Amino acid sequence: MINKPAGRTATAAPCRVTVCRGCCCGDAAKIPGVDHTGQIPRLRAALEGAAPVRASECLDVCDQANVVVVQPSAAGRAAGGRPVWLGLVNDDEALADIAAWIRAGGPGLAEPPGVLDLYAITVSRRVREGLEG
């Protein structure tokens, strides 16, 4: 039998955030003028205590660099939320909007700020399953 840590249940599992840092995302030569190195630490600071942020190898949507994927919390998934892929996330205002949305509940629990519609991208099933699987 596997014991869960005290105070942590499946329904308490938070949103998870994945930031692409592969071949094109995070590359100053491809996207100049962006503080790629500071992007993940700023997002982690904005989400401290609310959601983990991890860097990933290439997510295979290089034409949309920088890519951020927000996976719903357990409660958000139960409410119908699905992972949301965001592309061209190259400014601090977008990071702030993403953090505010996640702090409000994220996919399935809170409507994203309207501006995030401009960042939403659709990826192939193969790419999606690579992250979710």
Side-chain angles (χ1 to χ4, degrees):
M1 178 174 170
I2 298 174
N3 293 320
K4 293 181 184 176
R8 178 123 175 150
T9 63
T11 57
C15 292
R16 291 176 297 153
V17 181
T18 303
V19 180
C20 184
R21 279 300 177 260
C23 65
C24 295
C25 292
D27 183 351
K30 179 170 180 158
I31 307 165
V34 174
D35 178 12
H36 298 284
T37 304
Q39 195 175 41
I40 293 175
R42 284 192 305 278
L43 189 56
R44 282 183 176 145
L47 290 171
E48 188 173 347
V53 177
R54 67 180 178 153
S56 173
E57 290 297 321
C58 184
L59 294 175
D60 203 19
V61 280
C62 299
D63 60 327
Q64 298 294 318
N66 288 328
V67 175
V68 174
V69 183
V70 180
Q71 295 183 356
S73 64
R77 189 167 286 277
R82 295 294 173 256
V84 175
W85 289 67
L86 304 165
L88 306 175
V89 180
N90 298 315
D91 58 77
D92 284 343
E93 292 81 12
L95 293 177
D97 288 333
I98 292 166
W101 174 45
I102 291 169
R103 287 193 166 279
L109 298 178
E111 286 295 317
V115 70
L116 289 185
D117 290 345
L118 300 173
Y119 295 90
I121 60 174
T122 302
V123 296
S124 71
R125 182 177 62 226
R126 177 187 56 79
V127 169
R128 251 188 348 262
E129 289 172 351
L131 180 64
E132 295 172 21

